[in-house]
Amino acid sequence: VFSEFGRTPTLNIRGGRDHHPCNSAILMGSNIKPLIFGSSSDQGMAPQKFNELGQNSDAGKALRPGDIAQTILSAISLDHPIENRIQGDKIQAILNT
């Protein structure tokens, strides 16, 4: 369960919230580990980068919607090249090994 975009943590000058790259998602399934994955910065709520172990790392990459989609496809065994039309990388740290 996730949305295509988030909203800013602060109000704009019109009292509303703008689109924001930081978002939340819930993944459930038999091949998904129970964990909290990813984070945002203390200032500006920017998405933080992570490494292959799922730990925050400046040398890593930011989580993208395509990464979540590829992880879901892999969890349900649909990660074959012919079905991979979504750009992203599966996140092994989320999947059971």
Side-chain angles (χ1 to χ4, degrees), residues 1 26-32 72 75-76:
V1 179
I26 299 171
L27 301 178
M28 295 174 277
S30 62
N31 291 338
I32 304 292
I72 293 168
I76 60 174

Side-chain angles (χ1 to χ4, degrees), residues 19 34 37 39 49 57 63 66:
H19 291 194
F37 186 88
S39 64
K49 294 179 179 179
S57 170
L63 189 61

Side-chain angles (χ1 to χ4, degrees), residues 21-96:
C22 211
N23 202 347
S24 300
I26 299 171
L27 301 178
M28 295 174 277
S30 62
N31 291 338
I32 304 292
K33 288 183 179 182
L35 60 90
I36 296 173
F37 186 88
S39 64
S40 59
S41 67
D42 293 340
Q43 298 292 321
M45 298 293 293
Q48 297 298 285
K49 294 179 179 179
F50 66 93
N51 63 21
E52 64 278 352
L53 300 175
Q55 302 162 333
N56 287 353
S57 170
D58 290 337
K61 60 177 256 179
L63 189 61
R64 302 168 301 171
D67 301 328
I68 298 291
Q70 290 292 29
T71 302
I72 293 168
L73 288 172
S74 181
I76 60 174
S77 300
L78 289 177
D79 56 347
H80 304 291
I82 196 160
E83 282 115 7
N84 274 348
R85 296 190 178 116
I86 299 169
Q87 293 186 358
D89 301 314
K90 72 179 175 182
I91 306 162
Q92 196 60 44
I94 292 177
L95 300 170
N96 286 333

